[in-house]
């Protein structure tokens, strides 16, 4: 599923990584690492990407995007040592 989602990425998505985690129910959690300039933009890009994949892949028929949330990941680009 991660590769199916990745195959729908566009340059503007600035996609770095996709991971998929199955939960106890029939739901999955999709983790996306993107180089978006803000949390709001990361959520927008990720939602659009996953929706494109769900709508465009017959293997994902029956899946739906229930929610999208972003977490800020600190990195060396912030200047923290």
């Amino acid at each position: 599923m991660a590769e199916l989602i990745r195959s729908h990425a566009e340059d503007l998505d600035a996609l770095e990584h996709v991971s998929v985690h199955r939960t106890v129910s029939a739901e999955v959690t999709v983790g996306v690492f993107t180089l978006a300039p803000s949390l709001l933009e990361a959520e927008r890009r990720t939602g659009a990407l996953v929706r494109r994949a769900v709508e465009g892949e017959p293997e994902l028929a029956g899946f739906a995007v229930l929610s999208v949330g972003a977490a800020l990941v600190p990195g060396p680009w912030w200047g923290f040592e």
Side-chain angles (χ1 to χ4, degrees):
M1 183 181 283
E3 190 52 43
L4 287 177
I5 293 168
R6 185 181 250 310
S7 73
H8 287 269
E10 299 172 352
D11 289 343
L12 251 153
D13 295 323
L15 181 67
E16 291 290 310
H17 178 75
V18 177
S19 62
V20 177
H21 309 277
R22 183 173 296 274
T23 63
V24 177
S25 66
E27 296 177 2
V28 296
T29 297
V30 177
V32 174
F33 186 89
T34 178
L35 297 177
S38 69
L39 290 177
L40 184 61
E41 184 62 14
E43 289 175 340
R44 189 196 66 71
R45 290 178 185 188
T46 298
L49 168 60
V50 176
R51 285 182 186 93
R52 276 195 308 271
V54 168
E55 293 168 4
E57 290 294 335
E59 296 95 317
L60 300 181
F63 280 87
V65 178
L66 301 178
S67 65
V68 177
L72 190 58
V73 177
W77 49 87
W78 288 1
F80 296 126
E81 301 301 322

